[in-house]
Structure formats: structure tokens, C-alpha cells
Amino acid sequence: MRIDLHAHTRVSDGTDSPAELVAKAAAARLDVLALTDHDSTGGWDEAIAALPTGLTLVPGAEFSCRGAVPGGSISLHLLGYLFDRQAPAVVAEQERLRAQRRSRLQEMATRMAADFPIDVEEILAGVPADGSAGRPHLAAALVRIGAAESVADAFDRYLSSGGPYFVRGPHTKAPDAVRMIVEAGGVAVLAHPFGNRRGTRVTPELIATLAGEGLRGVEVFHPEHDERSRAELRSLATDLGLLTTGGSDYHGTNKTVALGGHLTPAEVYEELFAGATGGKVISA
Ligand code: AMP
Ligand code: FE
Ligand code: FE
Ligand code: ZN
């Protein structure tokens, strides 16, 4: 079984439509694909309608959060699967985050205006009404005008959290987000806990706190985790009784990783969604 539990579309900061994503998942010989756009479920219906025979879709989203660590807080992402997308708390929080993502991008563009001819209104017009605007949209614009060689280069030079134009994005407190996903009948997994970032990273104490709120797993098999991070996370997961998942975090041409490049073990997949009540996996 080839199971990829982390992928994005144009509804957030990927470059494929939801229909293109599921077609590419079938072409990549995946058996199971989770759709996890940032702070939006706007791609679910199109993905379901276009689902190829033989592919199982796990509807989900990636939730923008912050978590407490000694001396402050850090940005972190939660993957939520099979939650009720109409749960009022989820609807309200995702709407809030998407609206604030737009104003945050406008703020960053204002800071960039003196240096780069970026038309943020045009960029935002290209983001679906129920979609999430993010820094990759600015990065792609910087590539188009020749100010950066690639999206990754644009992040390195201008857009990362230490960069000159950075404005912090909106978020939910991580323990609240785990509870919100669980209360909506879903399954919560901590995304790329040791992914690329400068400075402070997620602590074992924070993961334990989230486990106490009902977190079911940690994403171990991810492009930004080296062998050492994987080993560390597996031992943490064992200690806390968490499952160890994997996914490519595919973003189309905004990142270099291939769909299906990182996978979830079949036995983990079976166990992970056993308790979900907010939704079901979908097969064509
Ligand atoms: P935002 O949600 O606006 O804070 O932007 C974060 C998103 O930018 C992440 O979800 C990634 O998709 C993307 N991202 C972050 N760093 C990089 C990078 N170095 N190269 C490509 N994409 C990145
Ligand atoms: Fe992203
Ligand atoms: Fe993420
Ligand atoms: Zn992601």
C-alpha cells in the first residue's frame, strides 16, 4: 500500500488544482492520498468529484498553530483528518485565519513595495475565495519578476521568519486546535515537528501536552526530517503512545518533493483513522 497523508493544491499554496492532484496521485501509483490544504477544506468537493478508480481520498487540512516553548512560542502545523468540516468552531476559525492570511500578505507586500514591483491585489485575486494566501504566493511572484531563482530561493533571501519583509501569520493555539479537531470527530497529527526552521524547535514537553489533548500521531516520514530526527521522533512517539505517519508535503512546483515521495506504513494507516467520527475516507 502506498499512502501519502500530506499534500497541497491551489486552494492553498500548491500549484495543482484538486482534480489535477488526485489524477497525479493515481499516476504516482498511490493507493491513499490525504488532501491537506492550509486552513481550508475548499478543495474537498473537486477532489472527490474527480477521484480516479482505485484511489482512496482522506479529506483533511493543515492547521496553522503556535505552541508554547520555554521563553516564548513557535509556529507549528497540525494535520487534521476526517473532521466534520461543518463543525461551527472549525468553520469560524478557518475563516478567521484565511481573512488574516490575506491582510498579513498585504502587510508583507507593503514592506516589499519599495524594493519590488509586486501587485498583491493581483496575487490575492488568484487565490480562491475559500482558499489560503501564503508566502509561497509572494515567492512565486518574486520568481516571475526575476528577483529570485526559485520559491526556495525567495524564502532564503526574503521571506523566511528572519527575513526583511517577514510579518507573523495568524494561528490557533496548538492545544486548542487539537481539541477543536478532536471535537469535530477528526484525527490530529503533528506535522513535520523537526522541519526546517532556524532557532527554537518543538520540544518533547509540547508534544506531550498535545498528546494530553488527544493528538494521535506525529509525522515522521517527511522531506525535512533526516535520519536523526526520525529516530528521535520515533522514540518520542513510543514514549507518548503516538502513531508515526508520513507524507510528501507535496506543493506542486512550489517545492521539489514528488507526490508519494514519503509514505505512511499500512499498519499505521489502519489504526490512525479507526476512531474518526467526523467523516469517512472516500473511494471512487
Ligand atoms: P505561510 O503559511 O504564509 O507562513 O507560508 C508557509 C509555507 O511556505 C509553508 O507551508 C511551505 O509551503 C512554504 N515554505 C516555507 N519555507 C519554504 C521554502 N524554503 N521553500 C519552499 N516553500 C517553503
Ligand atoms: Fe505550504
Ligand atoms: Fe506544514
Ligand atoms: Zn504542508
Side-chain angles (χ1 to χ4, degrees), residues 44 57-60 81-86 181-182 184-187 273-282:
W44 289 12
L57 183 78
V58 184
Y81 304 105
L82 302 180
F83 57 88
D84 174 7
R85 70 169 137 175
Q86 288 173 338
I181 293 165
V182 171
V187 172
F273 299 130
T277 57
K280 286 191 163 65
V281 302
I282 297 153

Side-chain angles (χ1 to χ4, degrees):
M1 288 259 278
R2 287 169 51 76
I3 303 159
D4 185 339
L5 295 185
H6 193 160
H8 296 265
T9 74
R10 284 206 286 270
V11 168
S12 62
D13 53 6
T15 57
D16 292 314
S17 69
E20 286 164 348
L21 177 72
V22 292
K24 288 182 183 184
R29 295 179 298 103
L30 287 175
D31 300 291
V32 180
L33 172 74
L35 170 56
T36 56
D37 276 309
H38 297 284
D39 306 314
S40 177
T41 59
W44 289 12
D45 290 336
E46 183 184 321
I48 292 166
L51 200 62
T53 310
L55 181 67
T56 296
L57 183 78
V58 184
E62 188 170 10
F63 294 72
S64 304
C65 303
R66 290 189 78 84
V69 292
S73 70
I74 51 165
S75 162
L76 63 84
H77 287 167
L78 286 175
L79 292 162
Y81 304 105
L82 302 180
F83 57 88
D84 174 7
R85 70 169 137 175
Q86 288 173 338
V90 173
V91 172
E93 188 63 354
Q94 291 194 332
E95 276 177 6
R96 179 183 76 86
L97 294 181
R98 291 195 301 266
Q100 291 183 8
R101 275 175 164 279
R102 287 176 177 265
S103 39
R104 179 263 197 140
L105 226 59
Q106 281 165 325
E107 257 184 83
M108 286 188 69
T110 302
R111 294 190 182 188
M112 295 168 76
D115 301 320
F116 299 109
I118 297 273
D119 184 346
V120 71
E121 296 310 325
E122 188 184 307
I123 292 172
L124 292 177
V127 178
D130 56 0
S132 288
R135 282 177 285 163
H137 294 100
L138 290 178
L142 287 168
V143 173
R144 282 196 296 274
I145 63 169
E149 282 173 13
S150 64
V151 169
D153 182 44
F155 268 86
D156 287 345
R157 292 164 74 154
Y158 309 116
L159 300 174
S160 64
S161 58
Y165 310 109
F166 181 74
V167 175
R168 189 180 276 187
H171 59 270
T172 309
K173 287 181 182 152
D176 295 349
V178 172
R179 223 174 304 124
M180 180 176 77
I181 293 165
V182 171
E183 281 171 5
V187 172
V189 170
L190 179 58
H192 48 69
F194 296 160
N196 299 336
R197 50 170 65 88
R198 286 174 247 280
T200 328
R201 65 179 197 171
V202 178
T203 59
E205 292 71 25
L206 176 52
I207 301 180
T209 299
L210 301 181
E213 299 292 348
L215 187 76
R216 284 292 283 133
V218 288
E219 190 181 43
V220 172
F221 310 103
H222 183 276
E224 292 169 19
H225 289 160
D226 59 16
E227 275 312 318
R228 196 172 150 189
S229 297
R230 289 174 192 205
E232 207 175 320
L233 282 167
R234 285 171 120 151
S235 121
L236 257 170
T238 306
D239 290 349
L240 294 170
L242 298 172
L243 295 167
T244 53
T245 74
S248 61
D249 207 356
Y250 173 77
H251 279 71
T253 58
N254 278 345
K255 285 192 180 179
T256 53
V257 69
L259 192 56
H262 297 266
L263 301 170
T264 294
E267 64 276 13
V268 170
Y269 169 69
E270 300 300 340
E271 206 180 333
L272 183 64
F273 299 130
T277 57
K280 286 191 163 65
V281 302
I282 297 153
S283 304

